[in-house]
Amino acid sequence: MDIMMPRMNGWDAARTIRAMNRPDAEIIPIIAMSANAFSEDIMDSRLAGMDIHLAKPLDEAKMINALKQCIAERSAVKLRNDL
């Protein structure tokens, strides 16, 4: 999720998702994507409920590893074999 989205930033969107009354709201992986990679940006992402903070430009291998990490930490979410 991009941090700098119009209307609702990524942190607010993540908090909204995590607060939803759905069984998957707490386990769905949310990965922050931002050009801002300072420690306070990473901390803000974690406090908003995001699992991982990736800096732009995105690296394909880092993105795949981030997805695998999120899924490994939440066994209720299944990873497709082709990732």
Side-chain angles (χ1 to χ4, degrees):
M1 180 178 305
D2 196 339
I3 299 298
M4 301 303 238
M5 297 187 304
R7 296 193 188 139
M8 178 184 284
N9 67 46
W11 295 318
D12 290 339
R15 281 189 282 273
T16 300
I17 291 167
R18 295 290 186 227
M20 295 175 88
N21 186 21
R22 293 177 48 134
D24 60 348
E26 293 181 19
I27 62 169
I28 191 77
I30 303 176
I31 300 171
M33 294 181 273
S34 178
N36 301 325
F38 294 110
S39 59
E40 56 268 15
D41 299 311
I42 296 167
M43 181 62 74
D44 287 341
S45 294
R46 297 296 295 204
L47 291 172
M50 296 179 167
D51 299 289
I52 296 173
H53 185 104
L54 295 178
K56 292 179 182 179
L58 293 177
D59 176 90
E60 181 180 353
K62 287 182 182 179
M63 178 59 114
I64 290 170
N65 286 334
L67 289 169
K68 287 180 178 180
Q69 179 182 338
C70 289
I71 291 165
E73 291 172 359
R74 293 181 167 92
S75 60
V77 179
K78 301 298 180 199
L79 178 64
R80 288 178 32 191
N81 290 333
D82 58 350
L83 291 180

